[in-house]
Amino acid sequence: MAPSRVILHLDLDAFFCAVEEIKDPGLRGKAFAVGGSPSGRGVVTSCSYPARKMGVRSAMPAAKALQLCPNLILVSRNHRDYGHYSHLVMDRLRSFTDRIEQISIDEAFLDISELGRSPKEVGSQLQRTIREELDLPNSIGIASNKLVAKIATDVGKMAAGGEGPPNAITIVPEGEERAFLAPLPVDMLWGVGPKTKARLEILGIQTIGDLAAYPDIELARKFGKHGYDLARRSKGIDNSPLSTERGVKSVSNERTFPEDLGRKSELLEHIIRLSRQVSGRLRKKNLRGKTIQIKLRWSDFTTLTRQTTLSNSTNEFAVIQEAAAELLDQVWEEGRRVRLIGVGVHNLDTNAHQLGLWDPGAQKDIKLQETLRELREKYGENVISRGLNT
Amino acid sequence: MKISVLQENLAHGLSIVSRAVSPRSTLPVLSNILVATDDGRLRLSATNLEMGITCWIGAKIEEEGSTTVPARTFSDLVSTIPPAKTDISLHEPTQTLNIKCGSLNTDIKCIDAQEFPPMPSPDLEAGIEINVTDFKEMIKQVVFAASHDEARPILTGVLVTVEDNILTLAAADGFRLSVRTAQLSSPAPAPVKAVIPARALSELARISNDGSEVITMALPPERGQVIFRTKDIELTSQLIEGTFPDYQQIIPKEYLTRTILSTESFLKSCKQAEIFAREGSLIAQVNIRPGPEENSPGEVEISGQSEETGSSQAIMDATIEGEDIIIAFNVRYLREVLDVIQTPNVALETSKPTSPGVIRPVGDDNFLHVIMPMHLGS
């Protein structure tokens, strides 16, 4: 039996909007959203609480958001600022404990088991620190594992109501995980997307409690390994450790177009750009990956991903770009229009990789990469890039 | 067909040929073993169309004949009967094989031998004779370096060349290269250059222990096949078509550091490092430090680590000539080559952390192994 843990989940409330409010206090209390464009293209990345009251949600097409909330102010994204504030938050969290797993720009898990203080005390202090020192509202969930802690945060946020950010703290004492989850809708559980939800509904399962009461063996029979995981999660069991070091599992960039694109050559240009960004991010983190993936969303919102695995890991722009372009070739349908394209590299490893006997000029290439890196460090990312013979 | 045979002989023969059976073939007869009387002995043959194995065993033949018997049924049955005389007879019209041994009486449904792919008897006159013990060792020293990646079929084979009286085996998977040469007792009638599937050679090394001293290798012209033959066993394999990459050019001609180590302690250190490195990227870091003065002994540190399990460092004394260097290798590659080196000492020749390393048994010029290092990034 593993010793019991205390895991804290912190989620910044409407993070991008909160940052925009810091930059322009005039936005406070107004219905506004980050992302999209006034012409109604693109999607809402984040929306303020007054906008949420009007039904606006993140990932909603801007056009629909404007329909729901005609006064909606659209603010363009400033990723550099969000990155900056995210860093500040994570630094504050690290001053509490180094047992931290950042899961996205605005979310992190902390293992506070060994702090020797009551979870409530730690949670309140942490929330206050981020709110007062950085002016960023945030919600916290605390439980004996990551799964329940994250759901606790979500539950706290939903229960808050009111005009402003929730600033919720929800604590699930050890032993009460199952009871806490039982009344919640089943799709609040990790691994239950729309498809699984529909299949569960057929079995008469609506709440996490229904799922927990369903025989494990039947779930395993119907859903395989996934069913076994679901059975455990529905009972609030989750032993997954914090990945304190290897936070990054993949690096990807995507782009939603202002207007749907119908020409392959245009998409290839975007693939070049996205591949260059992904390659740059991998190099900066000193990572390489073996699996190259593209994501494509057609104009009717159907989305597909295709991936290919290389024999050796890479972070080179040309290799990523070539693999991504090949994948696009495989799925391309002439006459269809594309709303979004993304390029990602998965299956990441540190920069260590096996050199090949017949790599054409393998050593020359390493030398070149090193020189390029030095140049970029000195003069910036855009100082040099590969020409393309297209 | 009516014969009697000793169970031990039959079981031995079946264990040899059954490795060439293709259990899930679309051709049912390929799941069977050909059983045929052949010049006073009993012949057992199996083939998966890429590789075929035949074994001849002693038998008392009362009536000539042949059929093909389902391999699994036959082997499983024979392994259960006591070591004694076994009477086998075939009822031709129904192709039913009756096996009697002690109280056992079995009928197995067979397929007509006519349907079995023909296995023409080769002309072994023009063959090359090789000492079995030497050849088995040669195979062991190269096959592990062959690739398993079907994307480059040529590298799943072993390049076999014979010129005058020098036989060379070479295999490479793109990251390492193993080359072994041997002298033949008599010059070959004609030069040979062929790529033989590594799997066929591994099988050959496994089965060629029938007490023969020599093995005959024949490559009938225009057949795209190689045939190996000992007293009681014959293995036929399709050759791999294509050009094997020029490996001579990737063998480094010089080095900056030459490190001589005890093979046994080098191997042990690698095994220790692998326990940790196998959880991660299989990296073993080799830190070579010459002694403070010329001719004073130096040391080599081998380390492996993983984020989850921990780390290991082993330090060994070594005779080092040249500069100090830190170089990383795939620890499995190191272990696999050290496993097949027989000499007490081994030399590791290195130049740069990104240049190939060469491993040679000290005092034996017949073997060399090239390994590309791992680049640690920056």
Side-chain angles (χ1 to χ4, degrees), chain A residues 6-10 92-97 99 109-131 138-143 168-171:
Chain A
V6 185
I7 306 293
L8 182 148
H9 176 254
L10 179 132
R92 293 291 192 288
L93 298 184
R94 272 191 194 92
S95 70
F96 280 79
T97 175
R99 307 265 308 125
F109 286 115
L110 281 76
D111 186 336
I112 57 168
S113 324
E114 283 162 21
L115 291 186
R117 290 155 58 196
S118 85
K120 192 169 177 212
E121 206 181 320
V122 178
S124 326
Q125 195 194 343
L126 217 121
Q127 187 176 66
R128 222 171 27 243
T129 306
I130 308 289
R131 218 164 82 194
N138 59 87
S139 290
I140 284 173
I142 301 175
I169 297 182
T170 311
I171 300 173

mmCIF file of all heavy atoms in Angstrom, chain A residues 6-10 92-97 99 109-131 138-143 168-171:
data_model
loop_
_atom_site.group_PDB
_atom_site.id
_atom_site.type_symbol
_atom_site.label_atom_id
_atom_site.label_comp_id
_atom_site.label_asym_id
_atom_site.label_seq_id
_atom_site.Cartn_x
_atom_site.Cartn_y
_atom_site.Cartn_z
ATOM 1 N N VAL A 6 -1.029 13.915 -0.470
ATOM 2 C CA VAL A 6 -1.912 15.077 -0.561
ATOM 3 C C VAL A 6 -1.511 15.826 -1.835
ATOM 4 O O VAL A 6 -0.404 16.346 -1.938
ATOM 5 C CB VAL A 6 -1.784 16.004 0.671
ATOM 6 C CG1 VAL A 6 -2.809 17.120 0.578
ATOM 7 C CG2 VAL A 6 -1.956 15.213 1.953
ATOM 8 N N ILE A 7 -2.420 15.825 -2.799
ATOM 9 C CA ILE A 7 -2.129 16.454 -4.079
ATOM 10 C C ILE A 7 -3.005 17.692 -4.239
ATOM 11 O O ILE A 7 -4.210 17.648 -4.008
ATOM 12 C CB ILE A 7 -2.406 15.488 -5.258
ATOM 13 C CG1 ILE A 7 -1.654 14.163 -5.080
ATOM 14 C CG2 ILE A 7 -2.058 16.142 -6.591
ATOM 15 C CD1 ILE A 7 -0.156 14.251 -5.155
ATOM 16 N N LEU A 8 -2.353 18.777 -4.620
ATOM 17 C CA LEU A 8 -3.077 20.034 -4.821
ATOM 18 C C LEU A 8 -3.080 20.357 -6.311
ATOM 19 O O LEU A 8 -2.038 20.260 -6.966
ATOM 20 C CB LEU A 8 -2.384 21.140 -4.021
ATOM 21 C CG LEU A 8 -2.993 22.541 -4.041
ATOM 22 C CD1 LEU A 8 -2.724 23.241 -2.717
ATOM 23 C CD2 LEU A 8 -2.424 23.385 -5.188
ATOM 24 N N HIS A 9 -4.240 20.693 -6.824
ATOM 25 C CA HIS A 9 -4.361 21.111 -8.223
ATOM 26 C C HIS A 9 -4.719 22.585 -8.258
ATOM 27 O O HIS A 9 -5.649 23.012 -7.572
ATOM 28 C CB HIS A 9 -5.433 20.284 -8.931
ATOM 29 C CG HIS A 9 -5.687 20.728 -10.339
ATOM 30 N ND1 HIS A 9 -6.810 21.424 -10.708
ATOM 31 C CD2 HIS A 9 -4.944 20.595 -11.460
ATOM 32 C CE1 HIS A 9 -6.746 21.690 -12.014
ATOM 33 N NE2 HIS A 9 -5.630 21.198 -12.485
ATOM 34 N N LEU A 10 -3.939 23.346 -9.012
ATOM 35 C CA LEU A 10 -4.220 24.771 -9.111
ATOM 36 C C LEU A 10 -4.522 25.132 -10.560
ATOM 37 O O LEU A 10 -3.812 24.715 -11.466
ATOM 38 C CB LEU A 10 -3.035 25.598 -8.608
ATOM 39 C CG LEU A 10 -3.221 27.120 -8.705
ATOM 40 C CD1 LEU A 10 -2.839 27.792 -7.400
ATOM 41 C CD2 LEU A 10 -2.410 27.711 -9.860
ATOM 42 N N ARG A 92 6.343 30.971 -8.155
ATOM 43 C CA ARG A 92 5.745 31.103 -6.821
ATOM 44 C C ARG A 92 5.421 29.721 -6.267
ATOM 45 O O ARG A 92 5.674 29.435 -5.097
ATOM 46 C CB ARG A 92 4.449 31.925 -6.874
ATOM 47 C CG ARG A 92 4.626 33.391 -7.234
ATOM 48 C CD ARG A 92 5.322 34.160 -6.107
ATOM 49 N NE ARG A 92 5.248 35.605 -6.306
ATOM 50 C CZ ARG A 92 5.931 36.287 -7.232
ATOM 51 N NH1 ARG A 92 6.734 35.648 -8.061
ATOM 52 N NH2 ARG A 92 5.823 37.595 -7.339
ATOM 53 N N LEU A 93 4.854 28.858 -7.143
ATOM 54 C CA LEU A 93 4.485 27.520 -6.682
ATOM 55 C C LEU A 93 5.725 26.758 -6.248
ATOM 56 O O LEU A 93 5.710 26.035 -5.253
ATOM 57 C CB LEU A 93 3.757 26.745 -7.791
ATOM 58 C CG LEU A 93 2.433 27.338 -8.278
ATOM 59 C CD1 LEU A 93 1.786 26.418 -9.301
ATOM 60 C CD2 LEU A 93 1.471 27.567 -7.113
ATOM 61 N N ARG A 94 6.797 26.936 -6.993
ATOM 62 C CA ARG A 94 8.037 26.218 -6.664
ATOM 63 C C ARG A 94 8.614 26.680 -5.333
ATOM 64 O O ARG A 94 9.367 25.944 -4.715
ATOM 65 C CB ARG A 94 9.078 26.401 -7.773
ATOM 66 C CG ARG A 94 8.908 25.362 -8.822
ATOM 67 C CD ARG A 94 10.021 25.260 -9.833
ATOM 68 N NE ARG A 94 9.494 24.441 -10.915
ATOM 69 C CZ ARG A 94 8.883 24.929 -11.992
ATOM 70 N NH1 ARG A 94 8.812 26.217 -12.167
ATOM 71 N NH2 ARG A 94 8.375 24.130 -12.899
ATOM 72 N N SER A 95 8.261 27.897 -4.922
ATOM 73 C CA SER A 95 8.767 28.339 -3.635
ATOM 74 C C SER A 95 8.060 27.595 -2.494
ATOM 75 O O SER A 95 8.533 27.579 -1.378
ATOM 76 C CB SER A 95 8.601 29.856 -3.489
ATOM 77 O OG SER A 95 7.235 30.163 -3.359
ATOM 78 N N PHE A 96 6.935 26.930 -2.811
ATOM 79 C CA PHE A 96 6.266 26.098 -1.812
ATOM 80 C C PHE A 96 6.873 24.705 -1.763
ATOM 81 O O PHE A 96 7.123 24.155 -0.711
ATOM 82 C CB PHE A 96 4.758 25.981 -2.112
ATOM 83 C CG PHE A 96 3.974 27.164 -1.657
ATOM 84 C CD1 PHE A 96 3.965 28.341 -2.400
ATOM 85 C CD2 PHE A 96 3.235 27.110 -0.479
ATOM 86 C CE1 PHE A 96 3.252 29.438 -1.976
ATOM 87 C CE2 PHE A 96 2.520 28.219 -0.057
ATOM 88 C CZ PHE A 96 2.530 29.385 -0.808
ATOM 89 N N THR A 97 7.032 24.110 -2.949
ATOM 90 C CA THR A 97 7.596 22.761 -3.023
ATOM 91 C C THR A 97 8.189 22.561 -4.407
ATOM 92 O O THR A 97 7.738 23.159 -5.388
ATOM 93 C CB THR A 97 6.535 21.674 -2.762
ATOM 94 O OG1 THR A 97 7.144 20.395 -2.966
ATOM 95 C CG2 THR A 97 5.339 21.798 -3.688
ATOM 96 N N ARG A 99 8.079 19.597 -5.635
ATOM 97 C CA ARG A 99 7.311 18.472 -6.184
ATOM 98 C C ARG A 99 6.128 19.042 -6.956
ATOM 99 O O ARG A 99 5.014 19.112 -6.440
ATOM 100 C CB ARG A 99 6.808 17.560 -5.053
ATOM 101 C CG ARG A 99 7.887 17.101 -4.105
ATOM 102 C CD ARG A 99 8.465 15.748 -4.467
ATOM 103 N NE ARG A 99 7.463 14.736 -4.657
ATOM 104 C CZ ARG A 99 7.370 14.008 -5.769
ATOM 105 N NH1 ARG A 99 8.207 14.192 -6.765
ATOM 106 N NH2 ARG A 99 6.446 13.088 -5.875
ATOM 107 N N PHE A 109 -0.032 20.564 -10.819
ATOM 108 C CA PHE A 109 -0.230 19.734 -9.635
ATOM 109 C C PHE A 109 0.939 19.952 -8.690
ATOM 110 O O PHE A 109 2.083 20.074 -9.121
ATOM 111 C CB PHE A 109 -0.245 18.248 -10.008
ATOM 112 C CG PHE A 109 -1.496 17.796 -10.697
ATOM 113 C CD1 PHE A 109 -1.459 17.359 -12.017
ATOM 114 C CD2 PHE A 109 -2.701 17.790 -10.020
ATOM 115 C CE1 PHE A 109 -2.612 16.913 -12.653
ATOM 116 C CE2 PHE A 109 -3.863 17.344 -10.648
ATOM 117 C CZ PHE A 109 -3.818 16.912 -11.968
ATOM 118 N N LEU A 110 0.661 19.977 -7.390
ATOM 119 C CA LEU A 110 1.722 20.041 -6.391
ATOM 120 C C LEU A 110 1.515 18.896 -5.417
ATOM 121 O O LEU A 110 0.377 18.623 -5.019
ATOM 122 C CB LEU A 110 1.648 21.350 -5.591
ATOM 123 C CG LEU A 110 2.209 22.625 -6.218
ATOM 124 C CD1 LEU A 110 1.267 23.150 -7.267
ATOM 125 C CD2 LEU A 110 2.418 23.674 -5.126
ATOM 126 N N ASP A 111 2.588 18.232 -5.059
ATOM 127 C CA ASP A 111 2.506 17.221 -4.021
ATOM 128 C C ASP A 111 2.865 17.903 -2.711
ATOM 129 O O ASP A 111 4.017 18.276 -2.491
ATOM 130 C CB ASP A 111 3.477 16.081 -4.332
ATOM 131 C CG ASP A 111 3.339 14.933 -3.355
ATOM 132 O OD1 ASP A 111 2.863 15.174 -2.223
ATOM 133 O OD2 ASP A 111 3.701 13.804 -3.713
ATOM 134 N N ILE A 112 1.869 18.096 -1.861
ATOM 135 C CA ILE A 112 2.119 18.836 -0.620
ATOM 136 C C ILE A 112 2.121 17.904 0.588
ATOM 137 O O ILE A 112 2.012 18.354 1.728
ATOM 138 C CB ILE A 112 1.093 19.991 -0.430
ATOM 139 C CG1 ILE A 112 -0.332 19.451 -0.456
ATOM 140 C CG2 ILE A 112 1.258 21.051 -1.516
ATOM 141 C CD1 ILE A 112 -1.371 20.473 -0.001
ATOM 142 N N SER A 113 2.261 16.580 0.319
ATOM 143 C CA SER A 113 2.196 15.599 1.417
ATOM 144 C C SER A 113 3.200 15.898 2.510
ATOM 145 O O SER A 113 2.938 15.664 3.681
ATOM 146 C CB SER A 113 2.494 14.186 0.894
ATOM 147 O OG SER A 113 1.974 13.993 -0.377
ATOM 148 N N GLU A 114 4.389 16.359 2.116
ATOM 149 C CA GLU A 114 5.460 16.439 3.094
ATOM 150 C C GLU A 114 5.674 17.849 3.642
ATOM 151 O O GLU A 114 6.708 18.138 4.228
ATOM 152 C CB GLU A 114 6.749 15.880 2.489
ATOM 153 C CG GLU A 114 6.706 14.359 2.482
ATOM 154 C CD GLU A 114 7.701 13.740 1.530
ATOM 155 O OE1 GLU A 114 8.678 14.432 1.181
ATOM 156 O OE2 GLU A 114 7.496 12.576 1.148
ATOM 157 N N LEU A 115 4.714 18.717 3.414
ATOM 158 C CA LEU A 115 4.885 20.080 3.918
ATOM 159 C C LEU A 115 4.572 20.167 5.411
ATOM 160 O O LEU A 115 4.913 21.136 6.078
ATOM 161 C CB LEU A 115 4.014 21.062 3.140
ATOM 162 C CG LEU A 115 4.428 21.292 1.684
ATOM 163 C CD1 LEU A 115 3.596 22.396 1.061
ATOM 164 C CD2 LEU A 115 5.900 21.608 1.552
ATOM 165 N N GLY A 116 3.899 19.150 5.917
ATOM 166 C CA GLY A 116 3.638 19.106 7.354
ATOM 167 C C GLY A 116 2.623 20.136 7.830
ATOM 168 O O GLY A 116 2.575 20.483 9.008
ATOM 169 N N ARG A 117 1.836 20.661 6.908
ATOM 170 C CA ARG A 117 0.798 21.621 7.321
ATOM 171 C C ARG A 117 -0.527 21.144 6.781
ATOM 172 O O ARG A 117 -0.591 20.328 5.869
ATOM 173 C CB ARG A 117 1.119 23.016 6.761
ATOM 174 C CG ARG A 117 2.333 23.647 7.442
ATOM 175 C CD ARG A 117 2.992 24.650 6.544
ATOM 176 N NE ARG A 117 2.106 25.709 6.133
ATOM 177 C CZ ARG A 117 2.376 26.525 5.118
ATOM 178 N NH1 ARG A 117 3.485 26.382 4.424
ATOM 179 N NH2 ARG A 117 1.539 27.489 4.808
ATOM 180 N N SER A 118 -1.596 21.676 7.347
ATOM 181 C CA SER A 118 -2.902 21.205 6.903
ATOM 182 C C SER A 118 -3.139 21.646 5.462
ATOM 183 O O SER A 118 -2.749 22.746 5.069
ATOM 184 C CB SER A 118 -3.997 21.747 7.820
ATOM 185 O OG SER A 118 -4.366 23.044 7.384
ATOM 186 N N PRO A 119 -3.763 20.776 4.672
ATOM 187 C CA PRO A 119 -4.027 21.095 3.271
ATOM 188 C C PRO A 119 -4.751 22.434 3.117
ATOM 189 O O PRO A 119 -4.452 23.212 2.211
ATOM 190 C CB PRO A 119 -4.905 19.940 2.807
ATOM 191 C CG PRO A 119 -4.576 18.807 3.718
ATOM 192 C CD PRO A 119 -4.210 19.430 5.031
ATOM 193 N N LYS A 120 -5.665 22.689 4.027
ATOM 194 C CA LYS A 120 -6.466 23.905 3.922
ATOM 195 C C LYS A 120 -5.576 25.137 4.042
ATOM 196 O O LYS A 120 -5.700 26.101 3.274
ATOM 197 C CB LYS A 120 -7.518 23.904 5.028
ATOM 198 C CG LYS A 120 -8.552 24.969 4.810
ATOM 199 C CD LYS A 120 -9.735 24.823 5.724
ATOM 200 C CE LYS A 120 -10.659 26.015 5.454
ATOM 201 N NZ LYS A 120 -11.363 26.420 6.648
ATOM 202 N N GLU A 121 -4.665 25.067 4.990
ATOM 203 C CA GLU A 121 -3.755 26.172 5.238
ATOM 204 C C GLU A 121 -2.882 26.434 4.003
ATOM 205 O O GLU A 121 -2.754 27.559 3.538
ATOM 206 C CB GLU A 121 -2.864 25.758 6.423
ATOM 207 C CG GLU A 121 -2.290 26.880 7.246
ATOM 208 C CD GLU A 121 -1.416 26.272 8.347
ATOM 209 O OE1 GLU A 121 -1.820 25.231 8.924
ATOM 210 O OE2 GLU A 121 -0.333 26.805 8.582
ATOM 211 N N VAL A 122 -2.310 25.338 3.470
ATOM 212 C CA VAL A 122 -1.445 25.470 2.293
ATOM 213 C C VAL A 122 -2.235 26.051 1.128
ATOM 214 O O VAL A 122 -1.794 26.993 0.462
ATOM 215 C CB VAL A 122 -0.853 24.104 1.884
ATOM 216 C CG1 VAL A 122 0.005 24.251 0.639
ATOM 217 C CG2 VAL A 122 -0.038 23.508 3.010
ATOM 218 N N GLY A 123 -3.454 25.497 0.918
ATOM 219 C CA GLY A 123 -4.285 25.944 -0.197
ATOM 220 C C GLY A 123 -4.591 27.433 -0.099
ATOM 221 O O GLY A 123 -4.413 28.175 -1.075
ATOM 222 N N SER A 124 -5.013 27.888 1.091
ATOM 223 C CA SER A 124 -5.387 29.303 1.227
ATOM 224 C C SER A 124 -4.182 30.201 1.015
ATOM 225 O O SER A 124 -4.265 31.240 0.351
ATOM 226 C CB SER A 124 -5.968 29.610 2.607
ATOM 227 O OG SER A 124 -6.688 28.545 3.085
ATOM 228 N N GLN A 125 -3.057 29.778 1.579
ATOM 229 C CA GLN A 125 -1.882 30.627 1.461
ATOM 230 C C GLN A 125 -1.442 30.738 -0.001
ATOM 231 O O GLN A 125 -1.103 31.814 -0.482
ATOM 232 C CB GLN A 125 -0.746 30.068 2.319
ATOM 233 C CG GLN A 125 0.356 31.104 2.521
ATOM 234 C CD GLN A 125 1.628 30.476 3.058
ATOM 235 O OE1 GLN A 125 1.616 29.351 3.565
ATOM 236 N NE2 GLN A 125 2.718 31.207 2.944
ATOM 237 N N LEU A 126 -1.492 29.611 -0.675
ATOM 238 C CA LEU A 126 -1.069 29.586 -2.066
ATOM 239 C C LEU A 126 -1.988 30.459 -2.919
ATOM 240 O O LEU A 126 -1.546 31.259 -3.742
ATOM 241 C CB LEU A 126 -1.163 28.141 -2.539
ATOM 242 C CG LEU A 126 -0.082 27.699 -3.478
ATOM 243 C CD1 LEU A 126 0.646 26.521 -2.862
ATOM 244 C CD2 LEU A 126 -0.680 27.267 -4.775
ATOM 245 N N GLN A 127 -3.280 30.300 -2.693
ATOM 246 C CA GLN A 127 -4.238 31.071 -3.482
ATOM 247 C C GLN A 127 -4.026 32.573 -3.263
ATOM 248 O O GLN A 127 -4.028 33.359 -4.200
ATOM 249 C CB GLN A 127 -5.663 30.683 -3.087
ATOM 250 C CG GLN A 127 -6.690 31.331 -3.987
ATOM 251 C CD GLN A 127 -8.086 30.872 -3.658
ATOM 252 O OE1 GLN A 127 -8.599 31.153 -2.584
ATOM 253 N NE2 GLN A 127 -8.696 30.155 -4.586
ATOM 254 N N ARG A 128 -3.804 32.944 -1.973
ATOM 255 C CA ARG A 128 -3.618 34.349 -1.639
ATOM 256 C C ARG A 128 -2.355 34.902 -2.301
ATOM 257 O O ARG A 128 -2.343 35.978 -2.875
ATOM 258 C CB ARG A 128 -3.517 34.486 -0.112
ATOM 259 C CG ARG A 128 -4.302 35.677 0.398
ATOM 260 C CD ARG A 128 -4.423 35.750 1.902
ATOM 261 N NE ARG A 128 -3.356 35.116 2.639
ATOM 262 C CZ ARG A 128 -3.529 34.073 3.456
ATOM 263 N NH1 ARG A 128 -4.725 33.538 3.618
ATOM 264 N NH2 ARG A 128 -2.521 33.555 4.114
ATOM 265 N N THR A 129 -1.270 34.098 -2.241
ATOM 266 C CA THR A 129 0.000 34.540 -2.814
ATOM 267 C C THR A 129 -0.165 34.892 -4.299
ATOM 268 O O THR A 129 0.242 35.966 -4.751
ATOM 269 C CB THR A 129 1.057 33.423 -2.683
ATOM 270 O OG1 THR A 129 1.114 33.040 -1.330
ATOM 271 C CG2 THR A 129 2.420 33.888 -3.146
ATOM 272 N N ILE A 130 -0.783 33.983 -5.045
ATOM 273 C CA ILE A 130 -0.920 34.199 -6.481
ATOM 274 C C ILE A 130 -1.861 35.380 -6.748
ATOM 275 O O ILE A 130 -1.650 36.184 -7.647
ATOM 276 C CB ILE A 130 -1.478 32.933 -7.183
ATOM 277 C CG1 ILE A 130 -0.659 31.690 -6.823
ATOM 278 C CG2 ILE A 130 -1.552 33.111 -8.694
ATOM 279 C CD1 ILE A 130 0.705 31.602 -7.392
ATOM 280 N N ARG A 131 -2.899 35.486 -5.927
ATOM 281 C CA ARG A 131 -3.895 36.519 -6.161
ATOM 282 C C ARG A 131 -3.358 37.901 -5.788
ATOM 283 O O ARG A 131 -3.540 38.862 -6.541
ATOM 284 C CB ARG A 131 -5.144 36.221 -5.336
ATOM 285 C CG ARG A 131 -6.415 36.561 -6.075
ATOM 286 C CD ARG A 131 -7.586 35.920 -5.443
ATOM 287 N NE ARG A 131 -8.052 36.717 -4.307
ATOM 288 C CZ ARG A 131 -8.907 36.245 -3.399
ATOM 289 N NH1 ARG A 131 -9.345 35.000 -3.484
ATOM 290 N NH2 ARG A 131 -9.312 37.004 -2.418
ATOM 291 N N ASN A 138 -7.449 32.401 -8.930
ATOM 292 C CA ASN A 138 -7.173 30.991 -9.200
ATOM 293 C C ASN A 138 -8.023 30.107 -8.314
ATOM 294 O O ASN A 138 -8.458 30.508 -7.245
ATOM 295 C CB ASN A 138 -5.691 30.686 -8.980
ATOM 296 C CG ASN A 138 -5.235 31.002 -7.564
ATOM 297 O OD1 ASN A 138 -5.341 30.172 -6.676
ATOM 298 N ND2 ASN A 138 -4.771 32.239 -7.338
ATOM 299 N N SER A 139 -8.242 28.867 -8.777
ATOM 300 C CA SER A 139 -9.024 27.913 -7.999
ATOM 301 C C SER A 139 -8.166 26.696 -7.705
ATOM 302 O O SER A 139 -7.277 26.347 -8.468
ATOM 303 C CB SER A 139 -10.278 27.497 -8.768
ATOM 304 O OG SER A 139 -11.158 28.598 -8.824
ATOM 305 N N ILE A 140 -8.493 26.082 -6.557
ATOM 306 C CA ILE A 140 -7.658 25.001 -6.065
ATOM 307 C C ILE A 140 -8.512 23.811 -5.674
ATOM 308 O O ILE A 140 -9.622 23.976 -5.130
ATOM 309 C CB ILE A 140 -6.831 25.509 -4.853
ATOM 310 C CG1 ILE A 140 -5.682 26.391 -5.358
ATOM 311 C CG2 ILE A 140 -6.295 24.363 -4.004
ATOM 312 C CD1 ILE A 140 -4.901 27.083 -4.271
ATOM 313 N N GLY A 141 -8.007 22.607 -6.003
ATOM 314 C CA GLY A 141 -8.636 21.380 -5.538
ATOM 315 C C GLY A 141 -7.586 20.558 -4.811
ATOM 316 O O GLY A 141 -6.443 20.495 -5.254
ATOM 317 N N ILE A 142 -7.966 19.949 -3.682
ATOM 318 C CA ILE A 142 -6.993 19.148 -2.933
ATOM 319 C C ILE A 142 -7.613 17.790 -2.638
ATOM 320 O O ILE A 142 -8.770 17.709 -2.200
ATOM 321 C CB ILE A 142 -6.591 19.841 -1.612
ATOM 322 C CG1 ILE A 142 -5.976 21.218 -1.917
ATOM 323 C CG2 ILE A 142 -5.594 18.980 -0.826
ATOM 324 C CD1 ILE A 142 -5.659 22.053 -0.678
ATOM 325 N N ALA A 143 -6.851 16.737 -2.930
ATOM 326 C CA ALA A 143 -7.343 15.384 -2.674
ATOM 327 C C ALA A 143 -6.145 14.448 -2.539
ATOM 328 O O ALA A 143 -5.004 14.895 -2.545
ATOM 329 C CB ALA A 143 -8.261 14.928 -3.811
ATOM 330 N N ALA A 168 -12.105 29.445 -6.051
ATOM 331 C CA ALA A 168 -12.628 28.376 -5.191
ATOM 332 C C ALA A 168 -11.504 27.557 -4.579
ATOM 333 O O ALA A 168 -10.414 27.451 -5.144
ATOM 334 C CB ALA A 168 -13.521 27.453 -6.025
ATOM 335 N N ILE A 169 -11.764 26.995 -3.394
ATOM 336 C CA ILE A 169 -10.892 25.972 -2.824
ATOM 337 C C ILE A 169 -11.779 24.809 -2.419
ATOM 338 O O ILE A 169 -12.732 24.983 -1.654
ATOM 339 C CB ILE A 169 -10.117 26.467 -1.588
ATOM 340 C CG1 ILE A 169 -9.180 27.616 -1.969
ATOM 341 C CG2 ILE A 169 -9.299 25.312 -0.983
ATOM 342 C CD1 ILE A 169 -8.333 28.127 -0.811
ATOM 343 N N THR A 170 -11.508 23.629 -2.962
ATOM 344 C CA THR A 170 -12.328 22.464 -2.662
ATOM 345 C C THR A 170 -11.431 21.357 -2.153
ATOM 346 O O THR A 170 -10.451 21.008 -2.815
ATOM 347 C CB THR A 170 -13.063 21.982 -3.932
ATOM 348 O OG1 THR A 170 -13.677 23.121 -4.531
ATOM 349 C CG2 THR A 170 -14.103 20.934 -3.600
ATOM 350 N N ILE A 171 -11.757 20.839 -0.973
ATOM 351 C CA ILE A 171 -10.922 19.793 -0.395
ATOM 352 C C ILE A 171 -11.735 18.509 -0.268
ATOM 353 O O ILE A 171 -12.860 18.532 0.244
ATOM 354 C CB ILE A 171 -10.375 20.221 0.989
ATOM 355 C CG1 ILE A 171 -9.533 21.488 0.825
ATOM 356 C CG2 ILE A 171 -9.547 19.100 1.607
ATOM 357 C CD1 ILE A 171 -9.062 22.111 2.115
#
